[in-house]
């Protein structure tokens, strides 16, 4: 894969879970624990396919693959119980977040969040790290009608930023998120977390980066070349 940007972006749009905060491993492990509690034998590959998606997408996928009689309410309650325990002490930032935001300040690039989580979750997870004010806009689940993989979350973010989607760099860790950002027309970089990069992701994204420090290096290189 060509590890260069096609052009310098005019704005950057971040997914939250798995890109800014280290929550996806907690969601995954709680998902698998709830599956084990109920004897459902849900495979980790199922979670990898739906990670970063809102509950209606996740539950719809489970029902489609395991039948309408799947005890969804009981499974969700068990998942939330395990998740509450794992998040009781708060969640950590992903490596390189603060340095990435510092670089965007230096480059004077506006930035937004486009997440499948709700505003309450954004405030609860990012608030303790004093990061909320470092984003120009936060687009959460209440702000659009069609969730990822629809392009609407990213199109909404671009609209609020006042930047053409084609001039935005999107940072995603999930398959549905990559599809959402790419179909919105954004330059999309996957930063894999619990879901590994697939051949389809490599074909869709302009780059696959191991972390935000690698994304920052792309931006510095593009600024130098520009």
């Amino acid at each position: 894969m060509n590890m260069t940007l096609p052009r310098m972006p005019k704005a950057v749009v971040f997914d939250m879970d798995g890109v800014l905060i280290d929550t996806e491993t907690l969601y995954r492990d709680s998902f698998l624990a709830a599956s084990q509690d109920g004897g459902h034998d849900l495979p980790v590959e199922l979670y990898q396919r739906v990670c970063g998606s809102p509950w209606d997408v996740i539950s719809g996928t489970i029902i489609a693959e395991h039948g309408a009689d799947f005890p969804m309410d009981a499974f969700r309650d068990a998942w939330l119980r395990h998740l509450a325990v794992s998040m009781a002490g708060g969640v950590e930032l992903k490596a390189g977040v603060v340095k990435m935001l510092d670089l965007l300040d230096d480059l004077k690039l506006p930035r937004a969040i486009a997440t499948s989580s709700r505003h309450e979750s954004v405030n609860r997870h990012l608030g303790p790290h004093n990061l909320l004010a470092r984003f120009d806009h936060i687009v959460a689940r209440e702000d659009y009608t069609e969730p990822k993989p629809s392009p609407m979350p990213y199109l909404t973010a671009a609209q609020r930023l006042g930047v053409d989607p084609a001039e935005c760099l999107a940072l995603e860790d999930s398959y549905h998120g990559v599809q959402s950002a790419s179909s919105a027309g954004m330059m999309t970089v996957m930063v894999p977390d619990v879901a590994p990069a697939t051949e389809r992701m490599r074909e869709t994204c302009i780059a696959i980066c191991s972390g935000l420090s690698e994304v920052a290096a792309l931006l510095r290189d593009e600024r130098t070349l520009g």
Side-chain angles (χ1 to χ4, degrees), residues 5 9 11-13 167-171 186-189 206 215 219:
L5 299 178
V12 178
V13 184
E167 301 298 331
C168 294
L169 178 68
L171 306 180
M186 294 192 179
M187 296 178 281
T188 305
V189 171
I206 61 169
V215 178
L219 286 169

Side-chain angles (χ1 to χ4, degrees), residues 19-22 91-98 125-126 129 131:
V19 174
L20 293 173
I21 53 174
D22 195 12
V91 298
E92 298 295 324
L93 293 179
K94 297 289 287 186
V97 170
V98 174
H125 293 320
L126 292 183
H129 297 288
L131 289 184

Side-chain angles (χ1 to χ4, degrees), residues 95-114:
V97 170
V98 174
K99 288 185 178 180
M100 179 71 175
L101 294 174
D102 289 343
L103 174 62
L104 297 186
D105 288 344
D106 292 342
L107 297 174
K108 295 181 172 54
L109 286 178
R111 75 297 307 243
I113 293 172

Side-chain angles (χ1 to χ4, degrees), residues 25-178:
T25 54
L26 304 181
Y27 284 124
R28 178 199 61 197
D29 293 348
S30 298
F31 176 96
L32 295 175
S35 173
Q36 184 175 19
D37 287 351
H40 305 310
D41 197 29
L42 298 178
V44 67
E45 290 81 11
L46 189 155
Y47 182 75
Q48 290 173 338
R49 282 187 280 118
V50 300
C51 73
S53 302
W55 173 247
D56 50 351
V57 173
I58 295 171
S59 59
T61 301
I62 294 174
I63 289 173
E65 297 186 11
H66 294 271
D69 59 346
F70 186 91
M72 194 62 66
D73 290 342
F75 172 74
R76 185 173 189 269
D77 289 344
W79 189 5
L80 291 176
R81 284 197 303 273
H82 284 286
L83 196 59
V85 172
S86 65
M87 290 187 174
V91 298
E92 298 295 324
L93 293 179
K94 297 289 287 186
V97 170
V98 174
K99 288 185 178 180
M100 179 71 175
L101 294 174
D102 289 343
L103 174 62
L104 297 186
D105 288 344
D106 292 342
L107 297 174
K108 295 181 172 54
L109 286 178
R111 75 297 307 243
I113 293 172
T115 178
S116 295
S117 296
R118 295 187 175 273
H119 280 285
E120 182 277 330
S121 180
V122 176
N123 295 337
R124 174 161 41 90
H125 293 320
L126 292 183
H129 297 288
N130 298 315
L131 289 184
L132 294 170
R134 302 201 66 178
F135 293 90
D136 299 282
H137 298 282
I138 295 174
V139 176
R141 185 63 185 89
E142 299 94 329
D143 300 316
Y144 49 81
T145 57
E146 298 176 22
K148 301 174 185 179
S150 161
M152 187 176 288
Y154 280 95
L155 291 175
T156 302
Q159 182 181 39
R160 292 188 180 182
L161 287 165
V163 178
D164 187 319
E167 301 298 331
C168 294
L169 178 68
L171 306 180
E172 265 289 353
D173 69 300
S174 71
Y175 303 149
H176 282 176
V178 166

